[in-house]
């Protein structure tokens, strides 16, 4: 048998170009992570005419139908590096912040491996609230006023003398649990004691911020130093139940096509927030080379930053990437190597996605429930927390699935998505019925 080249799959066309031998030599990509965000990244990579093989570490049941799952933890930098070398991976794409904070990009680059994601030092824009606040202050990026404290008594005295609610943020990665909006002194005292006396998240500081009001939204951009390529705006739904009630979750649904943002708002946020932050990081000697996620709020005083993240959002990625018409491999590779990109092209219309979560989430929940009806669903289904046992897909996490539809407008996408969600049967899942409710009020 002669040399066999991996051929691009049937739906990949090499538009108007004579096919060269190199075109047939597809790229191998390793995606790090195993949630809905990574499923959406893998799914977008399958649409690239350049990619012929995708690994995902650790992946999940849904990802396993589009990529090879690899049982390596997302923070096992040495294990992932050895895998990338052994398997001639052309490009690695990092999903979770934990991998970035563990220094995966630094380690891969030192070994001469191409990787999409920020260095450990640049990840401070997400991992340290104080770093991010100082950066915004220094470069005039609009955000809530703040002060930071290490001493419990000083923090308490400051909070007591100010109006409530008080916004208290633990300075470090705290798995989404580091922010407390205290409604009164009692709640503030408990949270500060947790963070500064009991060190529940580790030894650290607390940032006390002014309380802002207004709708929140997410502005994700691909960033390579000073170059900032915007993605469509999206909105997450953080509370567990309809009407934005119940506890905070990782996100119960998202959509693109925000009804409350004008083109002027978007332009302001792009120039005065995302581009300024990218330039500020270059000026600080910490250039970004991955996704910068602005968690923004449209307040009565204008658009302000609530937080920056150094990665794709989840569930935002699942509604944003389906609209990408450009080759995502080209974008990832361009950012990873510092090559200027053509502006990415996004499909018109909107997308809307509903998360199905285990009953009890974000508190205690059971796993291992059979999920039926998936083969009936006529929409994109991203797996967030699933596993397969004897051919049966089972629940394996808090957030389990996300169903995403596109449409000409939000009413259209909403109707389509909920019709598909209802085809999924499982004894232990719940979902919100009001995703994109701001568009219908
Ligand atoms: P974060 O982890 O920084 O995104 O904060 C979690 C949530 O707390 C945000 O999505 C907001 O809903 C809320 N929050 C954070 N900072 C503020 C603030 N300064 N004012 C009002 N709400 C805030
Ligand atoms: N959707 C919130 C986040 O990814 O942080």
């Amino acid at each position: 048998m002669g040399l066999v080249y991996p051929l691009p799959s049937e739906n990949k066309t090499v538009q108007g170009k004579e096919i060269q031998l190199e075109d047939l030599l597809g790229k191998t990509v390793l995606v790090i992570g195993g949630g809905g965000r990574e499923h959406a990244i893998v799914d977008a990579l399958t649409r690239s005419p350049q990619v012929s093989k995708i690994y995902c570490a650790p992946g999940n049941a849904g990802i396993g139908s589009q990529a090879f799952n690899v049982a390596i933890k997302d923070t096992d930098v040495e294990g992932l590096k050895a895998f990338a070398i052994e398997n001639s991976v052309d490009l690695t794409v990092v999903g979770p912040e934990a991998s970035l904070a563990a220094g995966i990009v630094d380690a891969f680059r030192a070994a001469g491996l191409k990787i999409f994601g920020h260095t450990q030092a640049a990840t401070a824009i997400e991992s340290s609230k104080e770093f991010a606040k100082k950066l915004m202050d220094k470069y005039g990026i609009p955000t809530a006023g703040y002060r930071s404290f290490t001493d419990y008594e000083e923090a308490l005295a400051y909070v007591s003398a100010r109006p409530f609610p008080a916004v208290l943020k633990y300075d470090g990665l705290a798995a989404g649990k580091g922010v407390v909006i205290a409604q009164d002194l009692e709640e503030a005292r408990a949270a500060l004691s947790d963070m500064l006396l009991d060190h529940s998240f580790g030894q650290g500081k607390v940032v006390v911020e002014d309380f802002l009001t207004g709708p929140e939204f997410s502005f994700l951009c691909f960033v390579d130093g000073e170059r900032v390529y915007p993605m469509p705006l999206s909105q997450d739904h953080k509370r567990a139940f309809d009407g934005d009630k119940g506890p905070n979750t990782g996100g119960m649904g998202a959509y693109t096509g925000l009804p409350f943002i004008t083109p002027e708002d978007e332009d302001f946020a792009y120039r005065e927030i995302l581009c300024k932050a990218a330039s500020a990081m270059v000026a600080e000697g910490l250039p970004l080379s991955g996704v910068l996620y602005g968690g923004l709020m449209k307040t009565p005083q204008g658009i302000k930053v609530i937080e920056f993240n150094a990665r794709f959002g989840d569930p935002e990625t699942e509604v944003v990437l389906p609209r990408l018409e450009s080759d995502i491999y080209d974008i990832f590779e361009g950012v990873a190597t510092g090559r200027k990109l053509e502006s990415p092209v996004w499909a018109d219309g909107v997308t809307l996605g509903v998360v199905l979560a285990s009953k009890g989430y974000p508190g205690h929940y059971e796993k291992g429930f059979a999920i039926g009806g998936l083969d009936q669903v006529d929409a994109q289904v991203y797996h967030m927390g699933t596993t397969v046992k004897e051919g049966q897909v089972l629940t394996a996490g808090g957030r389990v699935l996300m169903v995403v539809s596109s449409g000409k407008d939000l009413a259209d996408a909403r109707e389509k998505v909920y019709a598909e969600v209802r085809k999924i049967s499982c004894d232990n899942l719940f979902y919100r019925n009001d995703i994109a409710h701001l568009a219908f009020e």
Side-chain angles (χ1 to χ4, degrees):
M1 203 166 120
L3 189 56
V4 178
Y5 295 109
L7 285 168
S9 67
E10 284 167 50
N11 59 354
K12 291 171 184 169
T13 52
V14 184
Q15 287 148 345
K17 252 189 9 181
E18 200 180 323
I19 298 176
Q20 305 293 322
L21 190 57
E22 301 88 280
D23 294 329
L24 299 176
L25 284 169
K27 303 289 186 196
T28 297
V29 184
L30 169 63
V31 176
I32 312 288
R37 164 180 58 200
E38 288 76 18
H39 195 175
I41 293 170
V42 164
D43 182 52
L45 280 165
T46 65
R47 295 195 292 273
S48 165
Q50 301 187 63
V51 175
S52 63
K53 191 167 200 180
I54 307 170
Y55 293 107
C56 189
N60 65 33
I63 290 172
S65 67
Q66 292 181 286
F68 296 97
N69 288 335
V70 180
I72 306 177
K73 224 176 149 243
D74 60 16
T75 48
D76 179 2
V77 172
E78 286 308 309
L80 292 166
K81 191 173 82 181
F83 179 87
I85 293 169
E86 273 163 31
N87 292 278
S88 307
V89 168
D90 294 293
L91 175 70
T92 298
V93 178
V94 185
E97 65 274 30
S99 314
L100 300 171
I104 193 169
V105 171
D106 311 70
F108 271 53
R109 284 191 190 161
L113 297 167
K114 238 184 255 177
I115 185 162
F116 174 87
H118 311 295
T119 60
Q120 188 177 40
T123 302
I125 198 162
E126 169 167 2
S127 57
S128 167
K129 302 269 183 208
E130 199 187 24
F131 173 89
K133 292 304 267 188
K134 280 190 173 156
L135 188 84
M136 288 187 265
D137 256 9
K138 182 168 169 187
Y139 294 91
I141 298 169
T143 188
Y146 79 104
R147 274 190 56 185
S148 60
F149 297 89
T150 47
D151 183 80
Y152 168 77
E153 294 296 340
E154 279 177 30
L156 192 64
Y158 177 74
V159 168
S160 309
R162 289 160 42 91
F164 282 90
V167 181
L168 312 173
K169 299 189 176 183
Y170 174 75
D171 186 30
L173 289 176
K177 298 188 180 74
V179 177
V180 174
I181 313 282
Q183 299 299 332
D184 54 37
L185 189 58
E186 219 35 59
E187 278 183 37
R189 196 193 303 272
L192 288 172
S193 151
D194 210 26
M195 293 176 188
L196 290 175
L197 295 179
D198 300 340
H199 304 293
S200 296
F201 306 113
Q203 206 74 28
K205 292 183 186 173
V206 169
V207 171
V208 181
E209 273 187 21
D210 295 342
F211 179 75
L212 304 178
T213 56
E216 288 179 61
F217 62 103
S218 306
F219 197 162
L220 281 62
C221 295
F222 297 105
V223 182
D224 165 25
E226 301 266 1
R227 300 186 190 117
V228 182
Y229 307 97
M231 301 186 218
L233 302 182
S234 55
Q235 190 181 40
D236 187 5
H237 294 59
K238 290 195 171 150
R239 302 296 199 95
F241 309 129
D242 287 4
D244 292 325
K245 301 266 170 25
N248 260 318
T249 69
M252 293 297 294
Y255 65 101
T256 62
L258 308 188
F260 55 90
I261 295 292
T262 64
E264 292 73 32
D265 289 336
E266 188 164 355
D267 188 53
F268 174 87
Y270 175 70
R271 282 184 295 100
E272 297 299 320
I273 296 178
L274 277 303
C275 291
K276 252 191 187 172
S279 300
M281 291 297 278
V282 171
E284 293 294 309
L286 301 168
L288 295 170
S289 55
V291 170
L292 178 62
Y293 162 141
L296 312 181
M297 189 184 268
K298 184 171 174 173
T299 79
Q301 290 76 40
I303 295 176
K304 298 194 180 188
V305 178
I306 294 290
E307 63 167 352
F308 282 121
N309 290 322
R311 50 164 177 88
F312 281 107
D314 193 350
E316 289 93 332
T317 308
E318 294 93 310
V319 292
V320 168
L321 290 187
R323 287 185 52 188
L324 180 63
E325 290 185 340
S326 307
D327 175 358
I328 200 165
Y329 181 86
D330 185 64
I331 296 174
F332 286 148
E333 205 264 349
V335 170
T337 57
R339 168 175 52 82
K340 189 169 187 288
L341 302 175
E342 308 252 333
S343 292
V345 178
W346 302 92
D348 290 338
V350 304
T351 45
L352 193 153
V354 177
V355 171
L356 291 87
S358 294
K359 287 179 185 164
Y361 171 79
H364 174 77
Y365 57 85
E366 308 285 336
K367 298 182 193 176
F369 290 82
I371 305 171
L374 287 174
D375 51 351
Q376 304 298 313
V377 177
D378 182 22
Q380 189 68 54
V381 179
Y382 293 117
H383 289 231
M384 306 180 97
T386 59
T387 188
V388 190
K389 207 168 169 188
E390 290 154 14
Q392 174 65 55
V393 180
L394 305 175
T395 64
R399 293 188 296 172
V400 175
L401 296 168
M402 182 162 178
V403 181
V404 179
S405 284
S406 52
K408 60 181 188 324
D409 56 31
L410 288 169
D412 180 33
R414 180 175 66 161
E415 196 181 312
K416 283 189 200 159
V417 86
Y418 280 109
E420 300 307 317
V421 165
R422 284 190 286 270
K423 294 180 184 169
I424 297 174
S425 55
C426 179
D427 288 342
N428 200 48
L429 292 178
F430 78 100
Y431 56 88
R432 278 181 62 160
N433 294 285
D434 66 343
I435 301 304
H437 61 85
L438 280 181
F440 304 103
E441 281 164 1

